[in-house]
Amino acid sequence: MNLQDTPALASAQVELQLPAATPGEPFKETATDGFVLGGFTWQHALPDTTRPVVIINAATSVRCRHYSRFADYLFANGFDVITFDYRGIGESRPASLRDLDASWTDWGALDFEAMLRRAQREFPGQPIDVVGHSFGGCAAGLGASGHVIRHLVTVGAQFAYWRDYAPAHRWRMFGKWHLVMPLVTKIYGYFPGKRLGWLEDTPAGVVRDWSTPTDRYEKRPSGRVAHATHGQLPFAKVSAKTLAISISDDPYGTIAAIERLLGYFTHSTNTHLRIEPHDIGEREVGHFAFFRSAYQATLWPIALSWLQTGELAPDTPGRRVPRS
C-alpha cells in the first residue's frame, strides 16, 4: 500500500505554514566537564509549550549535518529541532584528536546530557523527544536526565557486538572494525577515518569501546568505568514510548542487535518495527540511508507519526517484532 494513501501519513507530507524562523542556527553548548560542543537549532519564532523539541543523536562518527534535511522536515511539521556533534566530531572537533580523551560513554553521559539540559533551558515547558541513529540510540540511554524524554525513535540502533552483525558480512566487518580500526588508531593516536573514507576521524576512546568484542555495554572500556562509578547505567531512567526501527538489509541493525540494546531500556514501552526494503518499493536501504531525503515520502512519516502520537499509523509498512 502506498503510504501517501493513508491520511495520517499523507498529512505529514504537507509543509505547514509556520511562523518565520532561522533554521539551522549554529550554537555552542558547554558540557558539565567544560568541553564545548557545537550544533544547530531549528527554532520557531513564537514559543509554544505544546510544541515538542526533538534532539537528533548521530551515529558513531557521522556529522550532525547528515541529519539536516530530516531536521528541516521535522521543523516543517511543527517541531523545534536540535542537532549536535559529539566531542571530536564535526562542529565539536578540537584542534587535535590525539589529545582528546573521549569515549562512547562521554558522548552519551556528557554530550547528549548537555543537549537534554539545553532543551530544558532553551525550550522551557516543551515536551522533549529524541531520534537516535545507530549508536545515537544507545546514547539516548546514557544521559542522567533521560527521564525527561517523552518519545524516542531509534534507527538501526545498537552498540556493535560483532556476533550480531549480519552473517553474510560478519567476518569482513569484524576485520574492518575490530582489527584494522584499532590497529590504525594505535599508530595515529586517533582513527583517521576521513582519510580512509571510513566515516569521520574518531577519538581513540570511542574506537576502544567500539572494537571491544563483548555483548554487554557495561563491559566496554568506558562502560565498565561508568558502571563501577555509579553502580548502574542510566538506561532505566528512560520511560519514553520507544520505537526501534530496523531495516532488514542493515548489516549492523539485525534483530538480535536491536533487541540487545532495547533490553537495556527496562522502563520504557518498546516497539520494534522491522522493515524490508520491498515494503517501501526499494531494492536496498542499508544502515545510513534512512535520513536521506529520498525517503521523505516513505520512511520519514513513520518516525514523524511516532514523534507526534507515540503510536504507529495503521498502514505503516513492516512488521512488529515480538518482544521476548
Side-chain angles (χ1 to χ4, degrees):
M1 177 175 288
N2 189 328
L3 284 175
Q4 293 179 327
D5 293 336
T6 307
L9 293 178
S11 64
Q13 307 310 311
V14 180
E15 186 168 317
L16 306 180
Q17 296 300 312
L18 298 168
T22 304
E25 181 178 353
F27 70 82
K28 295 294 183 183
E29 181 73 21
T30 303
T32 56
D33 67 339
F35 194 94
V36 178
L37 303 163
F40 300 91
T41 300
W42 284 251
Q43 184 171 8
H44 292 92
L46 299 178
D48 182 351
T49 56
T50 67
R51 180 193 304 121
V53 53
V54 180
I55 302 170
I56 300 179
N57 288 350
T60 296
S61 301
V62 175
R63 297 187 67 165
C64 69
R65 291 174 182 268
H66 176 70
Y67 306 92
S68 293
R69 288 188 177 87
F70 184 68
D72 285 337
Y73 171 79
L74 295 180
F75 178 77
N77 282 281
F79 292 84
D80 293 320
V81 187
I82 296 172
T83 67
F84 72 102
D85 281 314
Y86 308 116
R87 61 188 63 199
I89 307 297
E91 309 301 315
S92 304
R93 178 169 179 153
S96 172
L97 280 186
R98 291 186 180 88
D99 301 325
L100 179 63
D101 181 18
S103 67
W104 262 350
T105 300
D106 293 332
W107 282 2
L110 295 175
D111 301 351
F112 171 61
E113 173 66 14
M115 296 306 125
L116 286 174
R117 296 187 182 194
R118 179 179 180 84
Q120 293 174 83
R121 184 185 73 244
E122 299 294 325
F123 302 89
Q126 294 181 221
I128 298 174
D129 297 337
V130 175
V131 173
H133 180 205
S134 195
F135 171 75
C138 185
L142 294 173
S145 302
H147 61 279
V148 305
I149 304 171
R150 181 189 67 152
H151 296 154
L152 170 61
V153 174
T154 68
V155 178
Q158 32 68 45
F159 52 84
Y161 175 49
W162 71 276
R163 289 187 183 274
D164 289 340
Y165 296 154
H169 305 272
R170 182 175 298 153
W171 292 110
R172 179 184 61 80
M173 293 169 68
F174 184 89
K176 183 175 182 177
W177 301 119
H178 299 273
L179 297 177
V180 175
M181 183 170 65
L183 177 61
V184 173
T185 300
K186 190 172 182 179
I187 295 170
Y188 284 88
Y190 68 97
F191 180 62
K194 198 166 185 178
R195 190 179 311 175
L196 298 173
W198 297 7
L199 308 177
E200 293 291 313
D201 297 345
T202 305
V206 170
V207 172
R208 285 193 296 272
D209 279 332
W210 186 346
S211 60
T212 300
T214 175
D215 64 346
R216 300 295 298 173
Y217 185 82
E218 63 270 26
K219 293 182 180 179
R220 304 287 165 122
S222 69
R224 287 198 300 269
V225 173
H227 193 270
T229 301
H230 303 289
Q232 61 179 356
L233 294 171
F235 291 92
K237 294 185 177 182
V238 178
S239 58
K241 281 191 169 183
T242 299
L243 173 65
I245 299 172
S246 65
I247 310 294
S248 65
D249 68 333
D250 175 359
Y252 299 93
T254 61
I255 290 177
I258 304 302
E259 290 294 313
R260 190 177 304 282
L261 177 59
L262 280 179
Y264 282 83
F265 289 91
T266 54
H267 286 79
S268 15
T269 304
N270 301 327
T271 298
H272 180 179
L273 179 69
R274 186 75 169 172
I275 300 172
E276 303 275 347
H278 65 73
D279 292 335
I280 59 168
E282 300 286 347
R283 290 178 16 180
E284 59 183 15
V285 177
H287 187 64
F288 293 102
F290 184 100
F291 295 96
R292 295 174 184 163
S293 55
Y295 297 99
Q296 178 171 333
T298 52
L299 293 176
W300 291 7
I302 301 170
L304 177 66
S305 177
W306 191 271
L307 293 170
Q308 290 172 327
T309 68
E311 303 290 341
L312 291 172
D315 294 326
T316 299
R319 65 180 178 88
R320 293 176 186 245
V321 176
R323 303 310 315 286
S324 56

